[in-house]
């Protein structure tokens, strides 16, 4: 398997635009789910990159891009209805519950983001704080802001609630919605076929969206072709489309069965394809220097960059990310900068759709030219 450093060594070539110079026009934001646009989840488009070679497919054609012995690593974290209305003094706010910290039940610490309603059903950024500020929540509960998650920053704060947050979210919450979406969608629109409820009510503030296009029928077809699935769990916090911050620590778990399957597949020459950047972060956090994966559970603050490279993952199935997003460092570690720029230029030229309800991108090793027969 080639190293992450080798995959990330391309620095751009003639005729390419620097990745930071690419701009995604607003009309390429997916405003509603694919099934609302008149097609099924599996009918979103699939951009396939093998080094500098780019081809265009539909997601339901994914089985033809993989081969027997490949392992798809999927995130089983369920999506929480993580947005709740509240009031800070006389000011209306929307609380985005991001990540559970210490404790459980009433009094548990949560990382939260306060946002201001924009009058059109979505929100705009606002600073959090100050320490000790009290947000009144539905049902008479209170949320007390304690301290910034990152010293000196004011977007995300540690807070404690006088109520069990999972129960609060189940009763009063709704999925987090950003301004590029047309309207609120039901919780089912943010549920993937791989999501598994957690006994303690934990979950992701935002959907592990790379796996959204999968259906039960597509999973069955992949299994029938010899592609295997391995679960991990990483509870994602809120994204940062305005601040472009690097990922912060998140809770994850790589079970023993997944570690065994991934190691066995690698030893047999199979490819490990992560479904989503969260799956990459989980696997790479559980891998030693040799690439062997060990069962691991806890917190990860790993940021995968071209310099760090990847040790386990051969490919990645993901959405399309904003050019300034920190996730693109991970994609560059896998694909190389030149190949990634070429793929994104092609996605823009063909008007692919961005964000959680948008189209998908499959990155495979350049040396992989075998395509399974239909």
């Amino acid at each position: 398997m080639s190293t992450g450093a080798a995959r990330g060594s391309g620095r751009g070539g003639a005729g390419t635009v620097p990745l930071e110079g690419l701009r995604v026009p607003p009309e390429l934001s997916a405003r509603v789910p694919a099934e609302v646009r008149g097609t099924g989840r599996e009918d979103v488009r699939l951009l396939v990159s093998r080094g500098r070679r780019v081809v265009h497919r539909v997601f339901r054609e994914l089985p033809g891009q993989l081969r027997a012995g490949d392992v798809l690593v999927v995130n089983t974290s369920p999506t929480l209805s993580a947005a709740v209305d509240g009031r800070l003094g006389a000011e209306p706010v929307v609380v985005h519950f991001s990540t559970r910290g210490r404790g459980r039940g009433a009094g548990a610490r949560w990382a939260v983001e306060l946002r201001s309603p924009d009058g059109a059903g979505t929100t705009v950024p606002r600073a959090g704080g100050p320490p000790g500020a009290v947000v009144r929540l539905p049902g008479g509960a209170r949320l007390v802001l304690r301290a910034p998650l990152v010293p000196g920053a004011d977007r995300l704060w540690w807070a404690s609630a006088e109520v069990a947050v999972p129960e609060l979210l189940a009763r009063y919450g709704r999925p987090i919605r950003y301004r590029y979406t047309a309207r609120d969608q039901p919780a089912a629109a943010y549920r993937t076929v791989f999501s598994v409820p957690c006994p303690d009510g934990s979950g992701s503030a935002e959907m592990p969206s790379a796996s959204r296009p999968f259906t039960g029928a597509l999973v069955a077809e992949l299994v029938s072709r010899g592609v295997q699935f391995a679960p991990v769990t990483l509870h994602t916090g809120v994204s940062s489309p305005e601040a472009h911050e690097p990922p912060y620590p998140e809770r994850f778990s790589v079970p023993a069965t997944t570690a065994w399957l991934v190691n066995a597949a690698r030893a047999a020459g199979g490819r490990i394809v992560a479904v989503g950047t969260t799956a990459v972060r989980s696997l790479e956090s559980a891998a030693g220097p040799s690439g062997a994966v060990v069962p691991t559970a806890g917190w990860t603050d790993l940021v995968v960059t071209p310099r760090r490279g990847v040790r386990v993952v051969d490919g990645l199935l993901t959405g399309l990310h904003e050019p300034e997003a920190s996730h693109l460092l991970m994609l560059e570690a896998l694909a190389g900068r030149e190949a990634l720029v070429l793929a994104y230029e092609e996605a823009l030229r063909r008007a692919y759709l961005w964000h959680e309800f948008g189209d998908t991108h499959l990155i495979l090793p350049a040396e992989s030219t075998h395509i399974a027969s239909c």
Side-chain angles (χ1 to χ4, degrees):
M1 185 175 71
S2 59
T3 65
R7 289 175 184 157
S9 60
R11 304 310 303 176
T16 62
V17 176
L19 197 59
E20 297 81 1
L22 296 175
R23 291 293 176 264
V24 182
E27 59 268 23
L28 294 187
S29 294
R31 294 174 55 78
V32 295
E35 55 272 30
V36 177
R37 297 195 296 268
T39 60
R41 287 194 179 200
E42 72 278 12
D43 290 324
V44 297
R45 285 179 291 177
L46 175 67
L47 181 74
V48 182
S49 296
R50 291 183 174 86
R52 293 171 54 88
R53 179 172 174 255
V54 177
V55 296
H56 302 277
R57 296 288 184 265
V58 178
F59 193 85
R60 64 175 177 270
E61 298 175 308
L62 177 65
Q65 307 303 312
L66 301 173
R67 62 195 187 202
D70 287 345
V71 176
L72 290 174
V73 181
V74 297
N75 187 358
T76 63
S77 178
T79 308
L80 301 175
S81 295
V84 177
D85 294 326
R87 298 192 74 84
L88 181 59
E91 178 192 0
V93 295
V94 177
V95 182
H96 287 177
F97 285 88
S98 178
T99 303
R100 181 172 62 82
R102 294 195 306 266
R104 295 186 181 183
R109 291 183 71 192
W110 281 75
V112 302
E113 178 188 22
L114 300 189
R115 295 176 69 91
S116 297
D118 66 355
T122 58
T123 60
V124 294
R126 73 177 300 283
V134 175
V135 179
R136 287 175 290 151
L137 300 172
R142 302 193 318 159
L143 179 75
V144 182
L145 302 181
R146 301 300 184 185
L149 189 68
V150 178
D154 62 4
R155 188 176 73 92
L156 289 166
W157 282 67
W158 285 117
S160 56
E162 299 175 345
V163 66
V165 170
E167 297 174 9
L168 175 80
L169 301 183
R171 184 170 183 181
Y172 299 108
R174 60 187 179 277
I176 289 176
R177 172 191 164 198
Y178 290 115
R179 300 182 75 186
Y180 51 77
T181 54
R183 56 186 178 273
D184 285 341
Q185 298 294 332
Y190 295 87
R191 189 175 302 127
T192 76
V193 71
F194 304 112
S195 67
V196 177
C198 296
D200 65 356
S202 295
S204 290
E206 297 183 5
M207 173 177 51
S209 56
S211 58
R212 188 182 191 278
F214 284 91
T215 63
L218 187 59
V219 170
E221 181 180 353
L222 285 161
V223 171
S224 73
R225 289 171 176 250
V227 176
Q228 302 179 84
F229 287 84
V232 297
T233 301
L234 186 143
H235 299 310
T236 66
V238 296
S239 63
S240 48
E242 302 88 13
H244 308 298
E245 299 162 348
Y248 53 87
E250 294 169 317
R251 194 185 303 272
F252 83 107
S253 173
V254 176
T257 50
T258 290
W260 181 88
L261 179 58
V262 167
N263 292 335
R266 293 180 75 235
R271 298 177 299 183
I272 308 304
V273 180
V275 179
T277 57
T278 60
V280 177
R281 201 180 194 198
S282 299
L283 276 182
E284 296 291 328
S285 297
S290 68
V293 177
V294 297
T296 310
W299 292 83
T300 177
D301 59 1
L302 176 65
V303 179
V304 177
T305 65
R307 178 179 293 276
R308 190 268 186 190
V310 289
R311 299 170 178 172
V312 184
V313 176
D314 299 292
L316 172 63
L317 179 64
T318 185
L320 294 162
H321 302 276
E322 293 287 352
E324 301 89 351
S326 59
H327 287 312
L328 287 183
L329 292 174
M330 180 186 291
L331 272 63
E332 185 180 341
L334 277 157
R337 187 173 182 84
E338 181 178 357
L340 187 59
V341 170
L342 289 170
Y344 269 56
E345 288 178 334
E346 186 69 4
L348 287 169
R349 188 175 72 84
R350 295 290 191 103
Y352 275 64
L353 296 180
W354 258 250
H355 302 303
E356 67 266 31
F357 296 138
D359 295 317
T360 53
H361 184 195
L362 175 63
I363 299 171
L364 291 173
E367 66 272 20
S368 177
T369 57
H370 176 86
I371 300 177
S373 60
C374 295

